[in-house]
Every structure is written in structure tokens, then in C-alpha cells.
Amino acid sequence: MYQSFETTTSPENGPVRLEALRAALQTEALDGFLIPRADAHQGEYVAPRDSRLEWLTGFTGSAGWCVALKDRAAVFVDGRYRVQVKAQVADVFEKVDWPETGLAKWIGAALDKGRIGFDPWLLTVEQHRAMQAKLDAVSLVPTRNLVDAIWDDQPAPPQGAVFAQPEELSGEAHGDKIARLAQDLGPADAVVITLPDSIAWLLNIRGSDIPRNPVPHGFAILHADARVGLFMDPAKLSALGDHLGARVTLAPPEAFLPALGELKGSVQIDPESCPMAVACALSAATLVEAPDPCLLPKARKNDIELAGARAAHLRDAVAMARFLAWLDHAAPGGLTEIAVVEKLEEERRATNALRDISFETIAGSGPHGAIVHYRVTKDTDRKLQPGELFLVDSGGQYVDGTTDITRTVAIGDPGDIGAEEKRAFTLVLKGMIAVSMLRFPKGLAGRDIDPFARAALWAHGLDYGHGTGHGVGAYLSVHEGPARIARTGTVALEPGMILSNEPGFYREGAYGIRIENLVAVEEAPALPDQTVKAMLRFETLTLAPIDRRLILRDLMTKPERDWLDAYHETVRAKVGPLLDEETRDWLSRACRAI
């Protein structure tokens, strides 16, 4: 199994570890310390060695902060984790809704003046600038990492092997990518790249330093003359052979800071992802701030990458059909959440193409479905009860693509599911279909699309606390920037971008609903009377039935029903021929017209 079910943290550890951290504050003459969920590479995902927020507080979510002062401490989490944090974090930590309440606001209210320590590798230039600007009499002070100082059994740095992503899957030679990006540096003589997935995309390599994400840890400097300095442990690169070529010069990670100190002229950094330690090391250079040059090209998948994504989703669809048929035939009350996760991974493994799961499977039955990023453990495992909703959010890493799909299904007799749940399910589905059907002018961003997913819920006074969609990589991170469908999504959507479309609704302590397909942005054919110069639309990549038994048909419009029927016919036509007869019969029933 890729996924394990061990409980990795305990709230009971928090108070003891917080006291140890406060003793370290005393030693350093500090009034507090910042603990982000981040590593030196500033990607979203971190290795076990860098799970400092989890180790200190018990919180296992993918985003958050802790501020530890001498007499107060708080954990800051967004809307995805406000149920989860209550169960994982001891009461010695206040639970703060973030970003509604920012760290600086909380610190300013708790501390009249003082010195707050931070690890300069774990705070970006923009984070430091924005936070310090809001702190009048409180100074942010770079220091050693005080969590590392008290973490006696901290894991070693990851040493996953690096391997090549061939051009027949990447669609472009890495030498051509380097040359193309070097030409676009503008006034800069070089650019520093710290994000693992940016380096992996640029050099057509993949790795295994981050669980579930095929990326290696390292740093890179791209020069305007199309040279790249790669700073990565040589022991990880033995399988690459001569893949990198003459454009790329290798050096160990410890040579990175000295190399930065030698750079002169204009050096570009991305303030959103560049650690303060990097910016401070560029003492002889003139800093130019601009986005990581890999972000947009990486997000705009080429034709080869899109073909790979379609192949990966079709392969994944076979696994999902077999899994959903099995789940539908199982005796109500006879399965646990862990058993379901194991079966789903078994079906993906049966494709003989699975390289890893793309994240820890979320399999929440009944009230667990309301925990947006619920991870089942042996301690929380519960049986799937008749008359409940079951939410399963999962994905696979295949060498040609990354998948991510959520389905919410009825357990047992669908007639036993309450009217409230069916209404909420239908409203969520209406939002997902609204995005799927949308044609929109080129130049709009995710924040312009997000309201379409929420309008049906809003009309009934309902909403959800997470974004509607995130970018997805091409056999890379399942969460990929810079585009997203959310209130915070300011990057214009462009053809080739792959995003999730996943509205939801959650009733704490009762149930959760989320329906998710991945979509690719594409050019929309012009209409006869079209006056907008250029329009875009979404191609749906995910191919799996939606539980039509939970739909209140009268709440849906005819265009919505037509879309759903056409989608299900596509699923039946593409996936059915790849299934055994029994599963194919189940799929035909699941895809009947509404």
C-alpha cells in the first residue's frame, strides 16, 4: 500500500513540545517564534523532516501556521481545516480562522513590542515584507530553527532517486525549455528557482523526495545565456546518465549559498516563493522581482501533455468504475473506510501503470465527510452505515498524467438518504455543471469563474469554505499554481491549463458532499453571432458516473440534465468497452439518462 493508516500525531504531545520551544525562546532572548508549514523550497508539500508544524502542534493539514509566544500560542488554519484542527490540536493552542485573521493582526493584539524569531529559509520575501509592514513595535528576527533544536528524532533529509521524464511524455526537450525561458528574462542576468516542481518541469526530471509528488529537492539558477546551475545531492542523480547535457552544471546543495553570493548584475527572484535566506545571500546583486518563469509555461500543457492527461484519466476511469461497482454491490454496514481505501488503491494498481497515489485518499463516511481533508487512521476508522453519504476524494500518479476525482455516493438504499442531503447534493452538482458548461471571454481569471460554482448554493443560503478548483500538474504536483478557480484566483485562465472543478457542501457532524472533475481549458469555437473576440471553455477529463440516485430532478434545468446525460453517455462509450461484462452492465445502469 502507498497509503498507511497510522495516527502520526497526538494532541497530548503539543503542550510538552510547546514548553520546550518556550525554553528555547528564553535562550535566544526572543518573545516568540513563527512556524509555517513550509520548507526551504517553498513548495506546498513537505517531506517528513520538514513537518515542523505537524510535529509541534499535531495539525496535519497542507496549509497553516503557528505563532508561539511566551504566554500564548495559536494555530492558524483556513476553511478546509476548521473541523480537523479541533480534533488534532491541544487547547494550549488557540485555533484562529486564517486568513480572516492574519498573523500580524494576532501578534499585534497579543504583543505590544518585542522580537519574533523566524527561520529565514521558511519565510518568503513577500511574507516577511507583508508581515513586518503590519507590525509596528514588533521586529521579525532571523534565527536558527528552534523547532529543529528541540526535535531530537527529526528525520533525515530525503534522498529519493531522480529519473528523466522522456520527451515523448513531456512534449519538449529540456534544452529547448531552458533556451526559451532564458530569452524571456528581460533585464535579469539570472533567475533563482527554488520550487521543486518548477525545477522538475524545466529539466524534464522527476523524483521522490516529497510523498505523493514526483519531485526532487534542489535549487537552480537559470542564466540569461541559457546555462543552468543545478544544486542537488549528486547521489540522487546516478540514474540520469547524460540526460541533463552540457547546458546544466551540477553542484551539491551546500554550494548554493556561496554561488548566490558570487552573482552580480541583475538577479530575478519570485518574492512569493523565494526564501529570505536566498534574498539575503544575493548581497552583490541587484534584485529584480518577478514571478517564477516556469509557472505559466508549466501550467499551459502542450499537446503531448494533454494527450497524456487524457490517457491517464481513461486508465483511471477503469479503476474508478470497478471500484464504484464493487462499492455499490457491497453489503451495507460491511465495509470500513480503510477497506474502501485499500480497494480503491488495489484497482488503480491493477492498471499496471500506477506510480503512486497523488495524495492521501479522503474517504469520509457520514460525519467524517464534513472534514474536508479527512485522512482515515486505525483510530478513526468507522463502518459505512446504510442511509449515509460517503465521500471519496482520490487520485493517481501515472507517468503520463496526474488524476484527482471526488465522488459522493449513497450507502445502502438511496431512499434512506434524507431530503436535505439530496437537495444539497443537487445544488453542488448544479454548480459543477455550471462551470463545466461555461463559455467565457479570454482574459478572465479564476475569481471570475468561481461564482458560477456557488450560485445555486447561494440561492439557498449555503456555501463552502474552500476554493472551487486548483491547478494540476502533468505527472507533477496534484496542486499546481498559479491559476486556480477561487476568490483568490487572479491569474487569467489560458488554453492547456488543467484545473479541478469541485464545489461542495459540508454539515459539520453530519455529512459532506463534494463532486470533482478535472477540466482542461481550451479555445471555444466561435458562434455565428459572437462579438467577443476570443472565448474559452472547459474540456472535461474525468470519466466516472455521478450518483444520479441522489439527484432531485426537479431542481435541475433542462440544459443541466442534458449536460449530465451527455456526460454519462461519454463515460459509458469510452470506459464501457474497457471493462469486464459485469462492471460494464453496472456502468450502463449508473449512466442511464436522468
Side-chain angles (χ1 to χ4, degrees):
M1 286 290 296
Y2 287 118
Q3 184 157 336
S4 69
F5 306 101
E6 303 302 322
T7 302
T8 57
T9 66
S10 171
E12 288 74 23
N13 292 326
V16 176
R17 292 171 179 174
L18 180 59
E19 285 306 308
L21 180 60
R22 284 174 169 157
L25 289 178
Q26 188 88 7
T27 301
E28 299 289 330
L30 293 169
D31 298 292
F33 190 70
L34 301 179
I35 306 97
R37 190 187 185 276
D39 62 15
H41 307 276
Q42 291 299 327
E44 179 181 353
Y45 301 96
V46 300
R49 175 182 180 79
D50 299 306
S51 298
R52 298 175 181 91
L53 181 64
E54 177 180 334
W55 181 84
L56 177 68
T57 69
F59 173 65
T60 63
S62 65
W65 291 77
C66 175
V67 179
L69 305 179
K70 292 179 179 179
D71 57 351
R72 293 177 67 181
V75 175
F76 297 73
V77 298
D78 63 36
R80 296 170 293 175
Y81 298 113
R82 288 169 189 165
V83 177
Q84 179 177 328
V85 73
K86 297 174 186 178
Q88 291 186 324
V89 177
D91 290 339
V92 293
F93 298 96
E94 300 172 31
K95 287 80 172 176
V96 181
D97 291 351
W98 169 74
E100 292 87 343
T101 298
L103 276 68
K105 182 178 179 180
W106 186 90
I107 292 170
L111 201 62
D112 292 332
K113 61 180 180 179
R115 302 167 73 246
I116 302 290
F118 71 95
D119 182 339
W121 281 105
L122 304 187
L123 208 63
T124 70
V125 170
E126 180 56 33
Q127 288 169 341
H128 178 269
R129 181 164 52 208
M131 199 179 305
Q132 187 62 79
K134 297 175 183 177
L135 294 171
D136 295 329
V138 177
S139 299
L140 298 178
V141 181
T143 185
R144 65 184 179 128
N145 195 296
L146 301 189
V147 173
D148 292 358
I150 64 172
W151 190 353
D152 293 334
D153 58 348
Q154 186 177 23
Q159 291 292 315
V162 177
F163 53 96
Q165 180 74 342
E167 189 176 341
E168 55 264 31
L169 293 173
S170 68
E172 184 180 11
H174 65 281
D176 293 339
K177 292 181 182 179
I178 293 169
R180 176 159 59 94
L181 267 60
Q183 285 184 333
D184 294 335
L185 288 186
D189 300 302
V191 58
V192 179
I193 303 172
T194 65
L195 289 171
D197 58 334
S198 289
I199 295 171
W201 174 85
L202 178 65
L203 301 180
N204 283 348
I205 58 176
R206 299 294 187 266
S208 54
D209 283 337
I210 302 293
R212 316 298 173 233
N213 293 269
V215 297
H217 273 170
F219 303 98
I221 302 172
L222 169 63
H223 297 269
D225 61 1
R227 291 180 297 112
V228 173
L230 177 63
F231 300 85
M232 192 174 289
D233 191 329
K236 301 195 299 188
L237 305 173
S238 58
L240 280 183
D242 60 357
H243 166 77
L244 293 174
R247 289 184 185 271
V248 182
T249 302
L250 299 177
E254 55 268 25
F256 181 52
L257 286 183
L260 294 178
E262 294 174 2
L263 291 178
K264 296 178 174 60
S266 298
V267 177
Q268 179 179 316
I269 61 168
D270 184 342
E272 300 286 346
S273 59
C274 177
M276 282 295 296
V278 169
C280 292
L282 291 164
S283 55
T286 300
L287 297 187
V288 177
E289 295 190 2
D292 178 332
C294 300
L295 292 183
L296 276 174
K298 174 166 53 68
R300 296 187 293 242
K301 278 58 175 184
N302 58 45
D303 289 344
I304 298 297
E305 290 172 316
L306 288 170
R310 295 183 191 104
H313 278 84
L314 183 57
R315 188 184 308 119
D316 204 63
V318 172
M320 282 299 302
R322 291 180 57 82
F323 163 74
L324 290 170
W326 168 84
L327 182 61
D328 198 33
H329 291 145
L335 294 175
T336 68
E337 292 167 336
I338 287 179
V340 170
V341 173
E342 290 175 332
K343 177 62 175 178
L344 180 50
E345 184 172 319
E346 174 188 320
E347 292 296 350
R348 284 198 167 102
R349 283 180 177 273
T351 65
N352 296 317
L354 186 70
R355 304 296 291 266
D356 200 345
I357 53 177
S358 54
F359 55 95
E360 300 286 293
T361 298
I362 299 165
S365 61
H368 286 171
I371 304 172
V372 177
H373 279 192
Y374 171 69
R375 174 184 172 271
V376 60
T377 69
K378 293 176 182 177
D379 294 334
T380 65
D381 191 25
R382 71 186 296 270
K383 287 187 175 182
L384 279 58
Q385 299 294 341
E388 289 184 338
L389 295 179
F390 178 62
L391 186 157
V392 57
D393 185 350
S394 67
Q397 289 284 13
Y398 304 95
V399 72
D400 49 0
T402 301
T403 69
D404 182 2
I405 172 176
T406 309
R407 289 295 183 263
T408 304
V409 299
I411 300 301
D413 185 350
D416 293 336
I417 303 295
E420 175 192 328
E421 289 93 323
K422 288 182 176 178
R423 183 189 71 158
F425 182 93
T426 308
L427 296 176
V428 170
L429 176 60
K430 284 167 70 72
M432 196 275 285
I433 293 174
V435 173
S436 304
M437 295 174 62
L438 194 62
R439 290 171 54 97
F440 55 97
K442 192 172 185 178
L444 294 190
R447 66 183 177 189
D448 303 309
I449 309 302
D450 185 72
F452 289 88
R454 301 177 190 269
L457 286 162
W458 286 346
H460 290 260
L462 308 177
D463 203 357
Y464 49 96
H466 56 78
T468 298
H470 54 83
V472 179
Y475 186 41
L476 277 173
S477 300
V478 73
H479 287 177
E480 178 180 85
R484 60 180 61 87
I485 302 175
R487 295 181 178 99
T488 55
T490 58
V491 174
L493 303 187
E494 298 186 46
M497 290 179 171
I498 296 177
L499 302 118
S500 66
N501 172 14
E502 50 179 313
F505 179 72
Y506 311 91
R507 182 77 71 186
E508 184 175 349
Y511 63 86
I513 297 164
R514 189 160 63 251
I515 306 171
E516 176 188 18
N517 284 345
L518 295 194
V519 296
V521 183
E522 64 179 7
E523 301 278 356
L527 300 173
D529 55 351
Q530 181 171 312
T531 60
V532 176
K533 184 176 181 180
M535 300 196 76
L536 303 175
R537 65 181 183 183
F538 295 113
E539 172 195 359
T540 297
L541 300 174
T542 304
L543 298 167
I546 295 163
D547 196 341
R548 50 192 297 285
R549 304 168 301 175
L550 293 172
I551 298 171
L552 297 181
R553 187 178 184 278
D554 291 344
L555 275 182
M556 297 183 69
T557 65
K558 186 177 186 304
E560 290 168 345
R561 296 195 299 269
D562 289 346
W563 182 93
L564 184 63
D565 288 345
Y567 173 72
H568 276 152
E569 176 56 27
T570 298
V571 172
R572 188 198 62 76
K574 289 187 175 182
V575 182
L578 305 176
L579 299 172
D580 60 274
E581 183 176 357
E582 182 179 355
T583 309
R584 186 165 57 249
D585 290 344
W586 173 88
L587 185 70
S588 294
R589 294 192 298 274
C591 291
R592 285 199 304 265
I594 191 173

